[in-house]
Amino acid sequence: MYPYEGMILVDPVQHTADSEAVEKTVKDLLEKHGAKIHQFERWDDRRLAFEVKGHKRGVYLLVHFEMPGEGVDTFRRETRIVEVILRQLVIRLDTDIPTHLERSAAYYDKMREDQESRRAARDGRREDYDGQPASMVEAT
Amino acid sequence: MTNDRKNRKKKKKFKKFRERRCRFTRLGVEFIDWKDVPTLQRMCTGQSKILGRKRSGTSAKFQRTLKQAIQRARYMALIPYVGS
C-alpha cells in the first residue's frame, strides 16, 4: 500500500444531475482496486482551460488514498472505459497522507501570507506616490 | 551633484539584485503544489510559456519542481497549454 493523490475530472452535466451516483462510481472504482480512501474532496463546477472531450466546464474530485502498486495501472486503464470520467491524474506521494495534508496546508498559508504582504507593499508604494512624483518625495 | 548620481546608480543596482532572488526559496516552501493555480499562472507569460530562470530568478531546484507542477496542472486543464 502506497499513498497517492488523485484528481479526477468528471462530466459536469452528469454530476449536476446526480452527484451522489457519479461520486459513488468513482469511489467504487477506486475501492475495487484495493484503495483505502482517506479524503474525498469536491471542487465546484469550473471552467476548463481548454476543451476536454467536448466539455468546456468540469467538476474536479480530489482524492487522497492508499492503494497497492498493482492497482494503479488497472485503475488508470478502467477510467478510460467509464464515461463520466473525462481525465484522471494519480500521483504517488513521497510522504504519508496526514503529513502531506499538513505540508500542503502550511504551503497555502505561506502563499497567502506572501500575497498579502505583496499587496500591502504595493498599496504602500501607491500612498507614497500620491500627490507628488516619486523624485519629489526623495528630495524632501 | 556627482555624489547624487553615484548614489542613484548604487540604488538601482541593489533593486535589481533584490528582484532576482528566488521567491520559493525566500518563502521557504517545501514543494510547489500543482493545484495552486494563481502561483503557477504568475510564473507563466501571457501566452502560458514558463518564465525562464533569468527572468524570474527561480533557483534551479525550484525551477525543476515548478516545471513538474505546471505540466501536471496543464494536463488537468487547470491552466492552458497555449494562452489566448
Side-chain angles (χ1 to χ4, degrees), chain A residues 28-35 67-68 70-72 74-75 78:
Chain A
D28 283 350
L29 192 62
L30 278 163
E31 271 157 10
K32 190 181 149 195
H33 297 285
M67 199 189 238
E70 316 87 68
V72 180
T74 47
F75 168 73
E78 283 194 24

Side-chain angles (χ1 to χ4, degrees), chain A residues 80-99:
Chain A
R80 292 168 170 272
I81 304 163
V82 183
E83 263 180 44
V84 279
I85 298 175
L86 302 179
R87 219 167 247 213
Q88 133 294 120
L89 183 67
V90 176
I91 289 161
R92 166 93 183 264
L93 298 173
D94 46 10
T95 55
D96 57 339
I97 290 162
T99 331

Side-chain angles (χ1 to χ4, degrees), chain A residues 102-104 106-107 110, chain B residues 24 28-32 61-62 65:
Chain A
E102 244 170 58
R103 276 172 64 182
S104 77
Y107 170 87
K110 272 176 191 164
Chain B
F24 299 107
V29 291
E30 284 170 275
F31 63 104
I32 300 173
K61 181 185 163 188
F62 278 113
T65 41

Side-chain angles (χ1 to χ4, degrees), chain A residues 5 60 87 108 110 114, chain B residues 23 28 33 35-36 75-76:
Chain A
E5 178 178 53
Y60 289 97
R87 219 167 247 213
Y108 281 103
K110 272 176 191 164
D114 178 49
Chain B
R23 54 189 302 252
D33 196 355
K35 301 182 293 296
D36 185 6
Y75 176 71
M76 285 313 286

Side-chain angles (χ1 to χ4, degrees), chain A residues 5-9 43 46-50 52 60 62 64 80 87-89 91-92 100 103-104 106-108 110-111 114-115 117-118 138, chain B residues 8 11 15 23-24 26-42 71-82:
Chain A
E5 178 178 53
M7 190 177 252
I8 293 142
L9 179 60
W43 287 12
R46 58 163 72 193
R47 238 183 84 93
L48 303 176
F50 47 85
V52 179
Y60 289 97
L62 182 64
H64 289 92
R80 292 168 170 272
R87 219 167 247 213
Q88 133 294 120
L89 183 67
I91 289 161
R92 166 93 183 264
H100 174 77
R103 276 172 64 182
S104 77
Y107 170 87
Y108 281 103
K110 272 176 191 164
M111 282 300 170
D114 178 49
Q115 202 187 0
S117 70
R118 263 158 188 271
E138 230 168 73
Chain B
R8 210 179 299 154
K11 220 174 194 178
K15 205 180 166 191
R23 54 189 302 252
F24 299 107
R26 177 169 54 80
L27 288 173
V29 291
E30 284 170 275
F31 63 104
I32 300 173
D33 196 355
W34 56 275
K35 301 182 293 296
D36 185 6
V37 178
T39 303
L40 298 182
Q41 261 172 347
R42 203 175 302 133
Q71 285 178 345
R72 283 171 177 171
R74 276 179 182 162
Y75 176 71
M76 285 313 286
L78 293 171
I79 56 173
Y81 280 99
V82 185

Side-chain angles (χ1 to χ4, degrees), chain A residues 97-140:
Chain A
I97 290 162
T99 331
H100 174 77
L101 295 177
E102 244 170 58
R103 276 172 64 182
S104 77
Y107 170 87
Y108 281 103
D109 279 347
K110 272 176 191 164
M111 282 300 170
R112 209 170 303 125
E113 228 173 72
D114 178 49
Q115 202 187 0
E116 271 160 23
S117 70
R118 263 158 188 271
R119 193 169 295 152
R122 198 184 54 205
D123 290 348
R125 226 176 292 142
R126 270 199 200 138
E127 269 165 34
D128 288 349
Y129 196 75
D130 261 1
Q132 46 190 336
S135 57
M136 292 287 283
V137 177
E138 230 168 73
T140 46

